[in-house]
């Protein structure tokens, strides 16, 4: 049992490493991880905002309840003696005393008002003010009069700010004498401790969000890999099927080709059998080419060409191709030429056979797409440590809606023309696969009726 689990773990790890080497799955996994991170980041951000709102609301509710309790206790003590003869002096004297703010029940209920500002660990400050019915200040304690403005007397709850920027939560209660309004009591509490606690909370959320996003990004990358593993296993099975099918086709095709060659040489009635055998030979060659293309794509997908890389001179490669394909161009009545825009030779690290195949596919595709009397030109230049190969034709061009799909495997814009010319729809797919394997790319510019330009960028060798 342990051996089975060990083998399964080893298989999964190997599959994960292989998936990382595939650019398509790596980019898809990255996109999934980014989307997971953005979604989770939005959820975490909204959750943090909700937590901050709830905590701030709870703080304000707690402060308001405490302030309401203190104000009611003061109001109940002040209103019975408010504007009674002989009581003004005692009230003024009481205002100079300390008010215990740590507990509301420490207020004296019979001996008058004990007012103070007690320095607590949070530096919480209270103040009270008595105003007459016209809003004129009568007495105050806790804060000097010139530091806080007289605010509206009609608002029950207010938040005011002194000249130093300290905020206060204030409650205003009316004072009545014989059921007539005769003054106001204002009690306020500083919000310094609240602002500090909310600032700490904001700082925690602001610093915690990037840290959370890092963990979310790592988790998203891991989850994306787990989610894509079954898809990649299916993709590997398809690749394996392609490789196995190509290998299975190879042997009978070789045998059939040899038989046809022998029959052509030994035939006794060439006029009657030669045509049929030539057709068989041509179709056999086409099928062999298709199998070879499938095998090449399989080798590229499985990264089996990187060990064969060596410096390759693109000047010599293009010269050989122009010379080799000149007969095909003459047969199609197309003018094939080259233009080297500099005297130095350009070399890239790669597999010379595959690079030869890349440029050959582009040139052959251009010749087949160009009508009689047209022109195909191959350019070679360098730009910013890259070798630039351009294959330009004056052919039929490619419509915009097809340009993003012409590099797909077995995709053909004109299937009828491809059948007559023997194309399988793998030429451009092989070309871009070879370019990507060599850390390059291919870009196409084309307009219907005006021709096409295929541009290959390959990094120059050091």
């Amino acid at each position: 049992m342990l051996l089975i689990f060990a083998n399964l773990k080893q298989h999964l790890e190997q599959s994960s490493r292989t998936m990382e080497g595939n650019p398509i799955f790596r980019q898809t996994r990255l996109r999934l991880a980014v989307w997971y991170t953005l979604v989770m980041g939005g959820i975490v951000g909204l959750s943090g905002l909700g937590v901050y709102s709830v905590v701030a609301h709870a703080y304000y509710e707690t402060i308001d309840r405490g302030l309401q309790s203190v104000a009611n206790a003061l109001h109940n003590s002040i209103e019975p003696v408010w504007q009674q003869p002989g009581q003004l002096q005692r009230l003024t004297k009481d205002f100079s005393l300390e008010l215990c703010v740590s507990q509301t029940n420490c207020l004296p209920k019979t001996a008058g008002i004990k007012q103070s500002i007690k320095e607590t660990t949070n530096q919480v400050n209270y103040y009270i003010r008595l105003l007459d019915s016209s809003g004129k200040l009568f007495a105050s304690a806790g804060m000097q009069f010139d530091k806080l403005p007289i605010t509206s007397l009609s608002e029950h709850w207010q938040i005011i700010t002194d000249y130093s920027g300290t905020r206060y939560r204030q409650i205003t209660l009316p004072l009545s004498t014989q059921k007539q309004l005769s003054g106001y009591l204002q009690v306020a509490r500083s919000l310094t401790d609240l602002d500090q606690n909310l600032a700490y909370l904001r700082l925690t959320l602001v610093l915690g969000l990037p840290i959370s996003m890092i963990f979310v990004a790592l988790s998203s990358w891991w989850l994306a890999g787990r989610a894509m593993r079954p898809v990649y296993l299916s993709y590997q099975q398809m690749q394996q099927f392609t490789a196995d099918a190509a290998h299975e086709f190879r042997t009978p095709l070789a045998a059939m080709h040899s038989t046809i060659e022998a029959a052509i040489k030994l035939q006794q009635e060439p006029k009657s059998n030669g045509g049929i055998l030539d057709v068989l030979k041509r179709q056999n060659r086409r099928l062999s080419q298709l199998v070879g293309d499938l095998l090449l794509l399989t080798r590229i997908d499985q990264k089996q060409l990187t060990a064969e890389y060596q410096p390759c001179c693109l000047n010599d490669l293009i010269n050989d191709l122009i010379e080799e394909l000149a007969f095909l161009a003459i047969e199609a009545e197309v003018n094939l030429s080259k233009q080297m825009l500099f005297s130095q030779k350009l070399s890239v690290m790669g597999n010379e056979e595959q690079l030869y195949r890349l440029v050959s596919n582009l040139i052959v595709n251009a010749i087949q797409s160009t009508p009689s009397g047209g022109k195909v030109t191959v350019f070679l230049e360098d730009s910013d440590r890259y070798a630039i190969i351009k294959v330009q034709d004056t052919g039929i061009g490619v419509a915009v809606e097809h340009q993003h799909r012409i590099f797909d495997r077995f995709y053909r814009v004109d299937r009828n023309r491809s059948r007559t010319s023997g194309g399988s729809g793998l030429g451009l797919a092989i070309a871009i696969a070879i370019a990507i394997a060599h850390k390059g790319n291919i870009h196409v510019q084309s307009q219907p009726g005006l021709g096409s330009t295929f541009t290959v960028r390959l990094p120059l060798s050091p």
Side-chain angles (χ1 to χ4, degrees), residues 362-363 365-366 369 377 379 388-393 398 403 406-407 428 431 441-446 451-457:
L362 295 180
I363 297 176
N365 184 72
S369 302
T377 308
F379 298 88
I388 308 297
I389 303 173
K390 293 183 180 180
V391 180
Q392 186 179 77
D393 64 66
V398 181
Q403 290 181 14
I406 58 175
F407 294 103
L428 293 179
N441 58 68
I442 301 179
H443 178 68
V444 60
Q445 291 181 332
S446 182
S452 306
T453 300
F454 286 83
T455 304
V456 183
R457 287 172 56 91

Side-chain angles (χ1 to χ4, degrees), residues 305-325:
L305 302 178
T306 56
E308 306 173 12
Y309 286 180
Q310 57 185 356
C312 302
C313 180
L314 295 180
N315 305 67
D316 297 340
L317 186 146
I318 291 177
N319 288 331
D320 293 343
L321 277 171
I322 295 296
E323 183 179 349
E324 178 181 335
L325 297 176

Side-chain angles (χ1 to χ4, degrees), residues 154-372:
S154 60
E155 295 184 21
H156 186 60
W157 289 101
Q158 289 177 290
I159 294 180
I160 59 177
T161 305
D162 65 10
Y163 298 132
S164 64
T166 303
R167 299 193 310 145
Y168 288 82
R169 181 67 165 168
Q170 176 180 277
I171 182 173
T172 302
L173 298 176
L175 296 172
S176 302
T177 302
Q178 296 179 354
K179 297 184 180 180
Q180 291 184 357
L181 180 66
S182 58
Y184 297 91
L185 168 66
Q186 290 184 338
V187 183
R189 176 199 190 278
S190 73
L191 299 178
T192 303
D193 59 329
L194 171 65
D195 292 339
Q196 288 178 350
N197 292 334
L198 291 182
Y200 293 150
L201 179 59
R202 287 194 299 269
L203 181 61
T204 301
L205 293 176
V206 170
L207 294 180
L209 181 61
I211 297 175
S212 301
M213 291 297 293
I214 292 174
F215 284 106
V216 168
L218 295 176
S219 302
S220 300
W221 179 260
W222 179 77
L223 288 174
R226 296 276 298 184
M228 292 190 61
R229 188 169 295 165
V231 180
Y232 186 72
L233 291 176
S234 300
Y235 177 77
Q236 281 186 316
Q237 291 176 355
M238 293 175 59
Q239 281 188 322
Q240 189 62 40
F241 168 79
T242 303
D244 294 341
H247 281 291
E248 291 295 330
F249 284 149
R250 212 173 198 181
T251 301
L253 284 173
M256 185 171 61
H257 183 75
S258 301
T259 303
I260 293 173
E261 287 284 354
I264 292 177
K265 292 179 180 180
L266 298 176
Q267 61 181 336
Q268 297 180 357
E269 297 181 6
K271 293 183 180 181
S272 60
N273 296 329
I276 297 176
L277 293 177
D278 287 339
V279 172
L280 288 175
K281 182 179 179 180
R282 185 168 58 253
Q283 294 300 323
N284 175 265
R285 185 183 299 110
R286 181 178 178 182
L287 188 56
S288 299
Q289 182 65 41
L290 175 60
V291 173
D293 291 345
L294 291 175
L295 278 174
L296 175 59
L297 287 173
T298 301
R299 294 183 64 196
I300 294 174
D301 290 337
Q302 295 178 354
K303 308 291 184 181
Q304 295 181 2
L305 302 178
T306 56
E308 306 173 12
Y309 286 180
Q310 57 185 356
C312 302
C313 180
L314 295 180
N315 305 67
D316 297 340
L317 186 146
I318 291 177
N319 288 331
D320 293 343
L321 277 171
I322 295 296
E323 183 179 349
E324 178 181 335
L325 297 176
F327 178 77
L328 178 63
I330 293 173
E331 189 178 44
E333 299 180 0
V334 173
N335 180 20
L336 177 62
S337 62
K338 62 181 179 180
Q339 288 191 18
M340 306 291 184
L341 302 182
F342 52 94
S343 59
Q344 297 180 351
K345 291 190 175 183
L346 296 181
S347 296
V348 299
M349 290 297 297
N351 183 289
E352 186 173 2
E353 179 182 352
Q354 303 310 321
L355 293 175
Y356 194 90
R357 182 67 181 278
L358 185 160
V359 183
S360 173
N361 283 5
L362 295 180
I363 297 176
V364 171
N365 184 72
I367 293 175
Q368 293 177 348
S369 302
T370 303
S372 300

Side-chain angles (χ1 to χ4, degrees), residues 398-407 411-414 444:
V398 181
V400 177
E401 60 269 20
H402 295 291
Q403 290 181 14
H404 69 287
R405 294 201 59 193
I406 58 175
F407 294 103
Y411 184 80
R412 293 175 291 191
V413 177
D414 187 352
V444 60

